[in-house]
Amino acid sequence: HTTAKDSLFTEESSKQISTLESAYQLERKEAEIQSLKVESELQRLQIQNDKIVIIAGILISLVGAGLSVIILREYRIIKKNKKQLESQKAELEEKNEIIEEKNQNITESIDYAKSVQKSMLSFDISNEKADRCFVFFRPKDIVSGDFYWYTTRGDIDIIVVADCTGHG
């Protein structure tokens, strides 16, 4: 009986052990499958994250390259404009020198004309006649278009006052 009992107990224990072992193996396989699924999902997310990083890097590179092209183009335009401005400045300085030279010549001519006009407008008048008259001559500019002249012919005094500027 003991032998039958032991054999039955051993047989039942073996079945239980076998069932428990199968359940353990099944759980272990399911846990391994679950672990592999989680690992697979992590890899998929990592790949997706890598794609996003790559796309963002490409976009940033394209924007940077575009900005670089725009900045380079603007730099060239500024450099070209700077050269043009320098050329125009040199041209203006040259023209300014010519104008200053011509202005100097004109001023010298006007000053000479003033001295000629002054010598032409001076005249001698007797003291007796000088007490009865005066000459008021104040030109608006350096040289006047107005002039006066006086002479005597015998008893006759000839006085000329003229405006030859054409404006009055």
Short mmCIF file of all heavy atoms in Angstrom, two decimals, residues 80-137:
data_model
loop_
_atom_site.label_atom_id
_atom_site.label_comp_id
_atom_site.label_asym_id
_atom_site.label_seq_id
_atom_site.Cartn_x
_atom_site.Cartn_y
_atom_site.Cartn_z
N LYS A 80 29.48 96.14 -53.39
CA LYS A 80 29.36 96.79 -54.70
C LYS A 80 28.92 98.24 -54.53
O LYS A 80 29.48 99.15 -55.15
CB LYS A 80 28.36 96.02 -55.56
CG LYS A 80 28.15 96.60 -56.93
CD LYS A 80 27.10 95.81 -57.69
CE LYS A 80 26.76 96.44 -59.01
NZ LYS A 80 25.66 95.75 -59.68
N ASN A 81 27.92 98.47 -53.67
CA ASN A 81 27.44 99.83 -53.42
C ASN A 81 28.54 100.68 -52.79
O ASN A 81 28.64 101.87 -53.09
CB ASN A 81 26.20 99.81 -52.52
CG ASN A 81 24.97 99.31 -53.24
OD1 ASN A 81 24.93 99.27 -54.47
ND2 ASN A 81 23.97 98.91 -52.49
N LYS A 82 29.33 100.08 -51.92
CA LYS A 82 30.42 100.81 -51.28
C LYS A 82 31.44 101.25 -52.33
O LYS A 82 31.90 102.39 -52.31
CB LYS A 82 31.09 99.94 -50.22
CG LYS A 82 32.14 100.66 -49.42
CD LYS A 82 32.72 99.77 -48.34
CE LYS A 82 33.79 100.49 -47.55
NZ LYS A 82 34.39 99.63 -46.55
N LYS A 83 31.75 100.36 -53.27
CA LYS A 83 32.68 100.72 -54.34
C LYS A 83 32.10 101.85 -55.19
O LYS A 83 32.80 102.78 -55.56
CB LYS A 83 32.99 99.51 -55.22
CG LYS A 83 33.93 98.52 -54.57
CD LYS A 83 34.21 97.36 -55.49
CE LYS A 83 35.13 96.34 -54.83
NZ LYS A 83 35.40 95.20 -55.71
N GLN A 84 30.81 101.76 -55.50
CA GLN A 84 30.16 102.81 -56.28
C GLN A 84 30.18 104.13 -55.53
O GLN A 84 30.44 105.18 -56.12
CB GLN A 84 28.72 102.42 -56.62
CG GLN A 84 28.60 101.35 -57.67
CD GLN A 84 27.16 100.94 -57.91
OE1 GLN A 84 26.27 101.23 -57.12
NE2 GLN A 84 26.92 100.23 -59.01
N LEU A 85 29.90 104.07 -54.22
CA LEU A 85 29.92 105.30 -53.42
C LEU A 85 31.32 105.90 -53.37
O LEU A 85 31.46 107.13 -53.45
CB LEU A 85 29.41 105.01 -52.01
CG LEU A 85 27.90 104.79 -51.87
CD1 LEU A 85 27.55 104.38 -50.45
CD2 LEU A 85 27.13 106.02 -52.26
N GLU A 86 32.32 105.05 -53.23
CA GLU A 86 33.69 105.56 -53.22
C GLU A 86 34.03 106.20 -54.56
O GLU A 86 34.67 107.26 -54.60
CB GLU A 86 34.66 104.42 -52.89
CG GLU A 86 34.60 103.98 -51.44
CD GLU A 86 35.46 102.75 -51.16
OE1 GLU A 86 36.07 102.20 -52.10
OE2 GLU A 86 35.51 102.35 -49.99
N SER A 87 33.60 105.57 -55.64
CA SER A 87 33.83 106.13 -56.97
C SER A 87 33.10 107.47 -57.12
O SER A 87 33.66 108.44 -57.62
CB SER A 87 33.35 105.14 -58.04
OG SER A 87 33.37 105.72 -59.31
N GLN A 88 31.84 107.52 -56.69
CA GLN A 88 31.07 108.76 -56.76
C GLN A 88 31.69 109.83 -55.87
O GLN A 88 31.72 111.01 -56.24
CB GLN A 88 29.62 108.50 -56.35
CG GLN A 88 28.84 107.70 -57.36
CD GLN A 88 27.45 107.33 -56.87
OE1 GLN A 88 27.13 107.49 -55.70
NE2 GLN A 88 26.63 106.80 -57.76
N LYS A 89 32.19 109.42 -54.71
CA LYS A 89 32.82 110.38 -53.80
C LYS A 89 34.06 110.98 -54.45
O LYS A 89 34.27 112.20 -54.41
CB LYS A 89 33.20 109.69 -52.49
CG LYS A 89 33.81 110.61 -51.47
CD LYS A 89 34.18 109.88 -50.20
CE LYS A 89 34.88 110.80 -49.22
NZ LYS A 89 35.36 110.07 -48.05
N ALA A 90 34.87 110.12 -55.07
CA ALA A 90 36.08 110.62 -55.75
C ALA A 90 35.69 111.57 -56.89
O ALA A 90 36.31 112.63 -57.07
CB ALA A 90 36.89 109.45 -56.28
N GLU A 91 34.66 111.20 -57.62
CA GLU A 91 34.19 112.04 -58.72
C GLU A 91 33.67 113.38 -58.20
O GLU A 91 33.98 114.44 -58.76
CB GLU A 91 33.07 111.31 -59.48
CG GLU A 91 32.59 112.00 -60.72
CD GLU A 91 31.51 111.20 -61.44
OE1 GLU A 91 31.53 109.96 -61.38
OE2 GLU A 91 30.65 111.84 -62.06
N LEU A 92 32.93 113.35 -57.10
CA LEU A 92 32.42 114.59 -56.52
C LEU A 92 33.56 115.46 -55.99
O LEU A 92 33.52 116.69 -56.13
CB LEU A 92 31.44 114.28 -55.38
CG LEU A 92 30.05 113.83 -55.80
CD1 LEU A 92 29.23 113.44 -54.58
CD2 LEU A 92 29.33 114.91 -56.58
N GLU A 93 34.55 114.83 -55.37
CA GLU A 93 35.70 115.60 -54.88
C GLU A 93 36.43 116.27 -56.04
O GLU A 93 36.84 117.43 -55.93
CB GLU A 93 36.64 114.69 -54.09
CG GLU A 93 36.11 114.30 -52.72
CD GLU A 93 36.98 113.30 -51.99
OE1 GLU A 93 37.97 112.80 -52.59
OE2 GLU A 93 36.67 113.01 -50.83
N GLU A 94 36.57 115.53 -57.14
CA GLU A 94 37.23 116.10 -58.32
C GLU A 94 36.41 117.28 -58.86
O GLU A 94 36.97 118.35 -59.16
CB GLU A 94 37.38 115.01 -59.39
CG GLU A 94 38.09 115.46 -60.64
CD GLU A 94 38.20 114.33 -61.66
OE1 GLU A 94 38.44 113.18 -61.26
OE2 GLU A 94 38.02 114.63 -62.85
N LYS A 95 35.10 117.10 -58.96
CA LYS A 95 34.25 118.17 -59.46
C LYS A 95 34.24 119.36 -58.49
O LYS A 95 34.21 120.51 -58.92
CB LYS A 95 32.82 117.66 -59.68
CG LYS A 95 32.71 116.75 -60.88
CD LYS A 95 31.30 116.25 -61.10
CE LYS A 95 31.24 115.36 -62.34
NZ LYS A 95 29.90 114.87 -62.60
N ASN A 96 34.29 119.04 -57.20
CA ASN A 96 34.33 120.11 -56.20
C ASN A 96 35.60 120.93 -56.34
O ASN A 96 35.57 122.16 -56.23
CB ASN A 96 34.23 119.51 -54.79
CG ASN A 96 33.97 120.56 -53.74
OD1 ASN A 96 33.31 121.55 -54.00
ND2 ASN A 96 34.51 120.35 -52.56
N GLU A 97 36.73 120.26 -56.61
CA GLU A 97 37.98 120.97 -56.83
C GLU A 97 37.88 121.89 -58.05
O GLU A 97 38.33 123.04 -58.02
CB GLU A 97 39.13 119.99 -57.00
CG GLU A 97 39.55 119.29 -55.72
CD GLU A 97 40.65 118.27 -55.95
OE1 GLU A 97 41.29 118.28 -57.02
OE2 GLU A 97 40.86 117.44 -55.04
N ILE A 98 37.27 121.38 -59.12
CA ILE A 98 37.08 122.19 -60.34
C ILE A 98 36.20 123.39 -60.03
O ILE A 98 36.51 124.52 -60.42
CB ILE A 98 36.48 121.32 -61.47
CG1 ILE A 98 37.49 120.26 -61.93
CG2 ILE A 98 36.03 122.18 -62.63
CD1 ILE A 98 36.91 119.20 -62.85
N ILE A 99 35.12 123.16 -59.30
CA ILE A 99 34.20 124.25 -58.95
C ILE A 99 34.92 125.29 -58.08
O ILE A 99 34.76 126.49 -58.29
CB ILE A 99 32.94 123.71 -58.24
CG1 ILE A 99 32.07 122.93 -59.23
CG2 ILE A 99 32.15 124.82 -57.57
CD1 ILE A 99 30.94 122.15 -58.61
N GLU A 100 35.69 124.81 -57.10
CA GLU A 100 36.42 125.75 -56.24
C GLU A 100 37.42 126.57 -57.05
O GLU A 100 37.55 127.78 -56.84
CB GLU A 100 37.14 124.99 -55.12
CG GLU A 100 36.21 124.49 -54.03
CD GLU A 100 36.94 123.69 -52.96
OE1 GLU A 100 38.18 123.59 -53.01
OE2 GLU A 100 36.25 123.16 -52.08
N GLU A 101 38.09 125.91 -57.99
CA GLU A 101 39.04 126.63 -58.84
C GLU A 101 38.32 127.68 -59.69
O GLU A 101 38.76 128.83 -59.77
CB GLU A 101 39.79 125.63 -59.74
CG GLU A 101 40.85 126.25 -60.62
CD GLU A 101 41.54 125.21 -61.50
OE1 GLU A 101 41.75 124.08 -61.03
OE2 GLU A 101 41.83 125.55 -62.64
N LYS A 102 37.20 127.29 -60.29
CA LYS A 102 36.44 128.24 -61.11
C LYS A 102 35.87 129.36 -60.24
O LYS A 102 35.86 130.52 -60.66
CB LYS A 102 35.33 127.52 -61.86
CG LYS A 102 35.87 126.64 -62.96
CD LYS A 102 34.79 126.05 -63.81
CE LYS A 102 35.45 125.18 -64.86
NZ LYS A 102 34.70 125.12 -66.07
N ASN A 103 35.41 129.01 -59.06
CA ASN A 103 34.89 130.02 -58.14
C ASN A 103 35.99 131.02 -57.78
O ASN A 103 35.74 132.22 -57.73
CB ASN A 103 34.33 129.35 -56.87
CG ASN A 103 33.59 130.31 -55.99
OD1 ASN A 103 32.96 131.24 -56.48
ND2 ASN A 103 33.67 130.11 -54.69
N GLN A 104 37.18 130.50 -57.53
CA GLN A 104 38.33 131.37 -57.23
C GLN A 104 38.60 132.31 -58.42
O GLN A 104 38.81 133.51 -58.23
CB GLN A 104 39.57 130.52 -56.91
CG GLN A 104 40.80 131.32 -56.58
CD GLN A 104 40.68 132.05 -55.26
OE1 GLN A 104 39.96 131.63 -54.37
NE2 GLN A 104 41.37 133.17 -55.15
N ASN A 105 38.60 131.75 -59.63
CA ASN A 105 38.83 132.57 -60.84
C ASN A 105 37.75 133.63 -61.00
O ASN A 105 38.05 134.79 -61.31
CB ASN A 105 38.88 131.69 -62.09
CG ASN A 105 40.12 130.81 -62.12
OD1 ASN A 105 41.10 131.08 -61.45
ND2 ASN A 105 40.06 129.74 -62.91
N ILE A 106 36.50 133.24 -60.78
CA ILE A 106 35.39 134.19 -60.92
C ILE A 106 35.51 135.29 -59.87
O ILE A 106 35.33 136.48 -60.18
CB ILE A 106 34.03 133.45 -60.80
CG1 ILE A 106 33.81 132.56 -62.04
CG2 ILE A 106 32.88 134.44 -60.64
CD1 ILE A 106 32.66 131.60 -61.93
N THR A 107 35.82 134.90 -58.63
CA THR A 107 35.97 135.90 -57.56
C THR A 107 37.10 136.86 -57.88
O THR A 107 36.97 138.08 -57.69
CB THR A 107 36.22 135.20 -56.21
OG1 THR A 107 35.15 134.28 -55.95
CG2 THR A 107 36.31 136.20 -55.08
N GLU A 108 38.20 136.33 -58.40
CA GLU A 108 39.32 137.20 -58.78
C GLU A 108 38.90 138.15 -59.90
O GLU A 108 39.25 139.34 -59.88
CB GLU A 108 40.52 136.37 -59.21
CG GLU A 108 41.22 135.67 -58.05
CD GLU A 108 42.31 134.70 -58.50
OE1 GLU A 108 42.55 134.56 -59.71
OE2 GLU A 108 42.92 134.07 -57.62
N SER A 109 38.12 137.64 -60.87
CA SER A 109 37.64 138.48 -61.97
C SER A 109 36.72 139.57 -61.44
O SER A 109 36.79 140.73 -61.87
CB SER A 109 36.89 137.65 -63.00
OG SER A 109 37.77 136.83 -63.71
N ILE A 110 35.84 139.20 -60.53
CA ILE A 110 34.90 140.17 -59.97
C ILE A 110 35.66 141.23 -59.18
O ILE A 110 35.36 142.43 -59.27
CB ILE A 110 33.82 139.47 -59.11
CG1 ILE A 110 32.89 138.66 -60.02
CG2 ILE A 110 33.04 140.47 -58.29
CD1 ILE A 110 31.91 137.79 -59.28
N ASP A 111 36.64 140.79 -58.40
CA ASP A 111 37.45 141.77 -57.65
C ASP A 111 38.18 142.71 -58.60
O ASP A 111 38.27 143.93 -58.34
CB ASP A 111 38.45 141.05 -56.73
CG ASP A 111 37.78 140.42 -55.52
OD1 ASP A 111 36.65 140.84 -55.18
OD2 ASP A 111 38.38 139.49 -54.93
N TYR A 112 38.68 142.18 -59.70
CA TYR A 112 39.35 143.04 -60.69
C TYR A 112 38.35 144.01 -61.31
O TYR A 112 38.63 145.20 -61.46
CB TYR A 112 40.01 142.18 -61.77
CG TYR A 112 40.73 143.00 -62.81
CD1 TYR A 112 41.93 143.64 -62.51
CD2 TYR A 112 40.20 143.15 -64.08
CE1 TYR A 112 42.58 144.40 -63.46
CE2 TYR A 112 40.84 143.92 -65.04
CZ TYR A 112 42.04 144.54 -64.72
OH TYR A 112 42.69 145.32 -65.66
N ALA A 113 37.15 143.50 -61.63
CA ALA A 113 36.11 144.36 -62.19
C ALA A 113 35.73 145.45 -61.20
O ALA A 113 35.46 146.60 -61.59
CB ALA A 113 34.88 143.54 -62.57
N LYS A 114 35.73 145.13 -59.92
CA LYS A 114 35.43 146.12 -58.89
C LYS A 114 36.47 147.24 -58.91
O LYS A 114 36.13 148.42 -58.84
CB LYS A 114 35.39 145.46 -57.52
CG LYS A 114 35.12 146.43 -56.39
CD LYS A 114 35.16 145.71 -55.06
CE LYS A 114 34.98 146.70 -53.92
NZ LYS A 114 35.17 146.06 -52.62
N SER A 115 37.74 146.84 -58.99
CA SER A 115 38.79 147.88 -59.02
C SER A 115 38.69 148.73 -60.28
O SER A 115 38.88 149.95 -60.24
CB SER A 115 40.17 147.25 -58.88
OG SER A 115 40.49 146.47 -60.00
N VAL A 116 38.35 148.11 -61.43
CA VAL A 116 38.17 148.86 -62.67
C VAL A 116 36.99 149.81 -62.52
O VAL A 116 37.07 151.00 -62.87
CB VAL A 116 37.98 147.91 -63.87
CG1 VAL A 116 37.52 148.67 -65.10
CG2 VAL A 116 39.26 147.16 -64.16
N GLN A 117 35.88 149.31 -61.98
CA GLN A 117 34.68 150.14 -61.81
C GLN A 117 34.97 151.30 -60.86
O GLN A 117 34.57 152.44 -61.11
CB GLN A 117 33.53 149.28 -61.27
CG GLN A 117 32.22 150.04 -61.21
CD GLN A 117 31.10 149.16 -60.71
OE1 GLN A 117 31.26 148.46 -59.70
NE2 GLN A 117 29.98 149.19 -61.42
N LYS A 118 35.69 151.02 -59.79
CA LYS A 118 36.01 152.08 -58.82
C LYS A 118 36.85 153.17 -59.48
O LYS A 118 36.63 154.36 -59.25
CB LYS A 118 36.74 151.47 -57.62
CG LYS A 118 36.94 152.42 -56.50
CD LYS A 118 37.53 151.71 -55.30
CE LYS A 118 37.66 152.67 -54.13
NZ LYS A 118 38.24 152.03 -52.98
N SER A 119 37.82 152.76 -60.30
CA SER A 119 38.66 153.77 -60.96
C SER A 119 37.87 154.54 -62.00
O SER A 119 38.11 155.73 -62.23
CB SER A 119 39.88 153.11 -61.59
OG SER A 119 39.51 152.31 -62.67
N MET A 120 36.92 153.91 -62.64
CA MET A 120 36.11 154.57 -63.67
C MET A 120 35.09 155.51 -63.05
O MET A 120 34.74 156.52 -63.65
CB MET A 120 35.38 153.54 -64.53
CG MET A 120 36.27 152.66 -65.38
SD MET A 120 37.07 153.55 -66.69
CE MET A 120 35.70 153.96 -67.73
N LEU A 121 34.58 155.19 -61.88
CA LEU A 121 33.53 155.99 -61.28
C LEU A 121 34.06 157.17 -60.48
O LEU A 121 33.29 158.02 -60.05
CB LEU A 121 32.63 155.11 -60.39
CG LEU A 121 31.79 154.07 -61.13
CD1 LEU A 121 30.99 153.25 -60.15
CD2 LEU A 121 30.87 154.72 -62.15
N SER A 122 35.34 157.23 -60.27
CA SER A 122 35.86 158.37 -59.52
C SER A 122 36.01 159.56 -60.47
O SER A 122 36.40 159.40 -61.62
CB SER A 122 37.19 158.00 -58.86
OG SER A 122 38.15 157.72 -59.84
N PHE A 123 35.68 160.72 -59.99
CA PHE A 123 35.82 161.91 -60.83
C PHE A 123 36.12 163.11 -59.94
O PHE A 123 35.84 163.09 -58.74
CB PHE A 123 34.59 162.13 -61.70
CG PHE A 123 33.32 162.26 -60.92
CD1 PHE A 123 32.90 163.52 -60.47
CD2 PHE A 123 32.55 161.17 -60.64
CE1 PHE A 123 31.72 163.65 -59.78
CE2 PHE A 123 31.37 161.30 -59.93
CZ PHE A 123 30.95 162.53 -59.51
N ASP A 124 36.65 164.10 -60.57
CA ASP A 124 36.98 165.34 -59.86
C ASP A 124 35.83 166.31 -60.01
O ASP A 124 35.28 166.50 -61.10
CB ASP A 124 38.26 165.96 -60.44
CG ASP A 124 39.46 165.10 -60.16
OD1 ASP A 124 39.48 164.46 -59.09
OD2 ASP A 124 40.39 165.08 -61.00
N ILE A 125 35.50 166.95 -58.93
CA ILE A 125 34.45 167.96 -58.93
C ILE A 125 34.98 169.16 -58.12
O ILE A 125 35.68 168.98 -57.14
CB ILE A 125 33.14 167.40 -58.35
CG1 ILE A 125 31.99 168.36 -58.55
CG2 ILE A 125 33.30 167.02 -56.92
CD1 ILE A 125 30.63 167.73 -58.28
N SER A 126 34.64 170.33 -58.58
CA SER A 126 35.15 171.52 -57.89
C SER A 126 34.51 171.62 -56.51
O SER A 126 33.41 171.13 -56.29
CB SER A 126 34.86 172.78 -58.70
OG SER A 126 33.48 173.01 -58.76
N ASN A 127 35.23 172.29 -55.61
CA ASN A 127 34.73 172.42 -54.24
C ASN A 127 33.41 173.17 -54.20
O ASN A 127 32.54 172.87 -53.38
CB ASN A 127 35.76 173.15 -53.36
CG ASN A 127 36.94 172.25 -53.06
OD1 ASN A 127 36.81 171.04 -53.12
ND2 ASN A 127 38.08 172.85 -52.78
N GLU A 128 33.24 174.13 -55.07
CA GLU A 128 32.02 174.93 -55.09
C GLU A 128 30.82 174.05 -55.45
O GLU A 128 29.76 174.16 -54.87
CB GLU A 128 32.21 176.08 -56.09
CG GLU A 128 30.99 176.54 -56.79
CD GLU A 128 31.36 177.48 -57.94
OE1 GLU A 128 32.44 178.09 -57.99
OE2 GLU A 128 30.50 177.56 -58.82
N LYS A 129 30.99 173.11 -56.39
CA LYS A 129 29.89 172.23 -56.79
C LYS A 129 29.75 171.05 -55.82
O LYS A 129 28.67 170.53 -55.64
CB LYS A 129 30.13 171.71 -58.20
CG LYS A 129 30.00 172.82 -59.22
CD LYS A 129 30.20 172.31 -60.60
CE LYS A 129 30.12 173.48 -61.58
NZ LYS A 129 30.35 173.09 -62.93
N ALA A 130 30.83 170.68 -55.18
CA ALA A 130 30.78 169.56 -54.24
C ALA A 130 29.91 169.88 -53.05
O ALA A 130 29.31 168.98 -52.45
CB ALA A 130 32.18 169.19 -53.78
N ASP A 131 29.80 171.16 -52.69
CA ASP A 131 28.96 171.54 -51.55
C ASP A 131 27.48 171.40 -51.87
O ASP A 131 26.65 171.29 -50.98
CB ASP A 131 29.25 173.00 -51.14
CG ASP A 131 30.62 173.15 -50.54
OD1 ASP A 131 31.16 172.12 -50.09
OD2 ASP A 131 31.16 174.28 -50.53
N ARG A 132 27.11 171.40 -53.15
CA ARG A 132 25.69 171.36 -53.53
C ARG A 132 25.22 169.94 -53.91
O ARG A 132 24.06 169.75 -54.18
CB ARG A 132 25.47 172.28 -54.73
CG ARG A 132 25.71 173.72 -54.42
CD ARG A 132 25.46 174.56 -55.62
NE ARG A 132 26.30 174.08 -56.73
CZ ARG A 132 26.36 174.63 -57.92
NH1 ARG A 132 25.62 175.65 -58.19
NH2 ARG A 132 27.14 174.17 -58.84
N CYS A 133 26.10 168.99 -53.95
CA CYS A 133 25.68 167.64 -54.39
C CYS A 133 26.46 166.56 -53.63
O CYS A 133 27.42 166.84 -52.94
CB CYS A 133 25.87 167.49 -55.89
SG CYS A 133 27.59 167.59 -56.40
N PHE A 134 26.00 165.35 -53.81
CA PHE A 134 26.71 164.19 -53.23
C PHE A 134 26.43 162.97 -54.10
O PHE A 134 25.49 162.97 -54.89
CB PHE A 134 26.28 163.93 -51.78
CG PHE A 134 24.87 163.43 -51.66
CD1 PHE A 134 24.60 162.06 -51.63
CD2 PHE A 134 23.81 164.33 -51.58
CE1 PHE A 134 23.31 161.61 -51.51
CE2 PHE A 134 22.52 163.87 -51.46
CZ PHE A 134 22.26 162.50 -51.43
N VAL A 135 27.23 161.97 -53.91
CA VAL A 135 27.03 160.72 -54.64
C VAL A 135 26.85 159.61 -53.60
O VAL A 135 27.69 159.43 -52.72
CB VAL A 135 28.24 160.39 -55.55
CG1 VAL A 135 28.07 159.03 -56.17
CG2 VAL A 135 28.41 161.46 -56.60
N PHE A 136 25.73 158.93 -53.69
CA PHE A 136 25.48 157.78 -52.82
C PHE A 136 25.54 156.54 -53.70
O PHE A 136 24.70 156.34 -54.56
CB PHE A 136 24.09 157.89 -52.16
CG PHE A 136 23.77 156.72 -51.29
CD1 PHE A 136 24.38 156.57 -50.05
CD2 PHE A 136 22.86 155.75 -51.70
CE1 PHE A 136 24.08 155.49 -49.25
CE2 PHE A 136 22.57 154.67 -50.91
CZ PHE A 136 23.18 154.53 -49.67
N PHE A 137 26.55 155.75 -53.50
CA PHE A 137 26.77 154.56 -54.34
C PHE A 137 27.06 153.37 -53.43
O PHE A 137 28.10 153.30 -52.79
CB PHE A 137 27.96 154.82 -55.29
CG PHE A 137 28.23 153.66 -56.21
CD1 PHE A 137 27.37 153.35 -57.25
CD2 PHE A 137 29.36 152.86 -56.04
CE1 PHE A 137 27.63 152.30 -58.11
CE2 PHE A 137 29.61 151.80 -56.88
CZ PHE A 137 28.75 151.51 -57.92
#
